[in-house]
């Protein structure tokens, strides 16, 4: 009964955690998408005005254009190419879910952030409750993985292996498996999808899972590459379970 109750609690926690992220993603998308469209339209008009009058611009006008351009880029608006690119939103559901995941995991790349007052206030409360929920989620997943460690240790103990050797081999097994699953293989995937070198993929994976999150490399941000639907959702899920693996290593 206790085991069934524990499994039910874990299942409810995992379901509740992902529902929390899904609801958060939907709210961020609703709050930020309209403001982003207006910002993209303003950037397109600014670019058009510049192309029509760039030969007659004074130095102060040119400097103001550069300031406006830098501000637009900092806000995730890249006024390059044709107008079809302005139809693609930084706040579609995939990007919003990815952002929600980086908030609760405290990675915070800084490349995507709410700009409306409503979005910023919601982000405060979303993080306030989401970060503790994320810690509890990682703790439970870590405990589940720890049970696998115990089962592996019990199996090796029954084979006549000494306890110190079992502890060392268990740690080595989960360390090597985690490095393969959460660092090495995803880096190949990022190399293919993002066009990064393998070392850049390893660097991004480590900086992300260690929650340093510099923001110098972020997935799905290159305007000249086509990404499949829900690419960033899959990356967000990889981050969450990668963090659980890190939590397991701390437990071990």
């Amino acid at each position: 009964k206790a085991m069934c109750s524990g499994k039910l609690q874990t299942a409810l926690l995992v379901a509740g955690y992902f529902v929390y992220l899904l609801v958060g993603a939907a709210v961020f998308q609703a709050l930020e998408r309209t403001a982003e469209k207006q910002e993209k339209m303003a950037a397109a008009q600014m670019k058009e005005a510049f192309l029509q009058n760039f030969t007659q611009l004074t130095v102060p006008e040119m400097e103001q254009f550069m300031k406006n351009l830098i501000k637009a880029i900092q806000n995730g608006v890249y006024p390059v190419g044709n107008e079809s690119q302005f139809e693609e939103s930084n706040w579609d559901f995939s990007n919003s879910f990815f952002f929600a995941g980086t908030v609760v995991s405290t990675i915070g790349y800084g490349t995507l952030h709410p700009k409306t007052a409503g979005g910023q206030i919601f982000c405060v409360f979303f993080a306030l409750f989401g970060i503790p929920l994320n810690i509890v989620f990682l703790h439970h997943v870590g405990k589940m993985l720890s049970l696998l460690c115990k089962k592996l240790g019990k199996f090796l103990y029954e084979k006549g292996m000494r306890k110190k050797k079992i502890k060392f081999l268990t740690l080595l097994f989960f360390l090597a498996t985690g490095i393969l699953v959460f660092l090495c293989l995803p880096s190949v995937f990022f190399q293919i999808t993002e066009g990064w070198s393998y070392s850049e993929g390893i660097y991004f994976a480590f900086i992300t899972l260690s929650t340093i999150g510099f923001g110098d490399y972020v997935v799905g941000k290159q305007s000249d590459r086509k990404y499949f639907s829900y690419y960033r959702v899959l990356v967000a899920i990889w981050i969450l379970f990668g963090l659980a693996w890190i939590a397991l290593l701390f437990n071990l």
Side-chain angles (χ1 to χ4, degrees):
K1 281 185 178 180
M3 189 177 289
C4 289
S5 176
K7 285 182 178 178
L8 180 62
Q9 282 181 355
T10 302
L12 288 172
L13 174 66
V14 172
Y17 180 72
F18 278 98
V19 167
Y20 188 80
L21 290 180
L22 290 169
V23 170
V27 174
F28 280 121
Q29 185 180 19
L31 290 171
E32 294 295 324
R33 202 163 190 177
T34 303
E36 184 200 33
K37 278 184 181 177
Q38 293 171 350
E39 203 164 356
K40 286 190 172 184
M41 285 174 63
Q45 289 168 359
M46 178 188 72
K47 175 186 173 183
E48 190 177 340
F50 171 77
L51 292 174
Q52 288 175 356
N53 303 306
F54 72 94
T55 54
Q56 299 164 2
L57 290 179
T58 62
V59 172
E61 287 172 335
M62 189 66 183
E63 287 181 351
Q64 186 59 48
F65 169 77
M66 294 299 291
K67 286 177 184 177
N68 293 339
L69 181 62
I70 290 167
K71 186 180 177 183
I73 291 170
Q74 286 173 342
N75 289 332
V77 177
Y78 301 92
V80 293
N82 55 35
E83 289 193 13
S84 66
Q85 288 183 307
F86 288 94
E87 294 170 12
E88 296 174 8
S89 176
N90 289 320
W91 291 101
D92 60 17
F93 189 78
S94 181
N95 283 330
S96 299
F97 185 87
F98 181 78
F99 173 74
T102 61
V103 169
V104 298
S105 60
T106 71
I107 295 171
Y109 291 114
T111 52
L112 185 64
H113 51 275
K115 289 171 277 294
T116 64
Q120 290 169 350
I121 295 297
F122 176 74
C123 188
V124 170
F125 287 100
F126 181 75
L128 192 64
F129 295 100
I131 292 169
L133 177 62
N134 183 64
I135 292 167
V136 173
F137 169 77
L138 294 179
H139 176 68
H140 267 70
V141 175
K143 277 176 72 176
M144 286 172 63
L145 292 173
S146 294
L147 290 175
L148 290 176
C149 291
K150 286 180 182 178
K151 285 182 180 179
L152 177 63
K154 189 178 178 183
F155 173 77
L156 293 173
Y157 185 72
E158 287 171 355
K159 294 293 181 182
M161 197 173 287
R162 287 181 302 159
K163 283 188 177 180
K164 280 188 177 181
K165 194 173 182 182
I166 288 170
K167 283 183 179 180
F168 173 74
L169 287 176
T170 302
L171 178 61
L172 187 65
F173 172 75
F174 278 94
L175 181 64
T177 305
I179 287 172
L180 178 67
V181 172
F182 293 109
L183 291 178
C184 297
L185 292 179
S187 298
V188 175
F189 178 68
F190 295 136
Q191 186 179 14
I192 295 165
T193 311
E194 298 287 344
W196 298 338
S197 66
Y198 186 71
S199 61
E200 287 173 324
I202 289 280
Y203 169 77
F204 166 76
F206 177 79
I207 292 299
T208 294
L209 296 185
S210 61
T211 72
I212 296 169
F214 288 128
D216 49 350
Y217 288 85
V218 182
V219 295
K221 294 298 288 182
Q222 299 184 63
S223 57
D224 59 336
R225 298 188 79 86
K226 287 288 181 184
Y227 300 101
F228 60 87
S229 298
Y230 299 106
Y231 165 56
R232 297 189 100 192
V233 171
L234 289 176
V235 175
I237 293 169
W238 160 74
I239 289 171
L240 297 174
F241 284 97
L243 291 174
W245 167 63
I246 297 288
L248 169 69
L249 289 183
F250 283 128
N251 284 340
L252 289 176

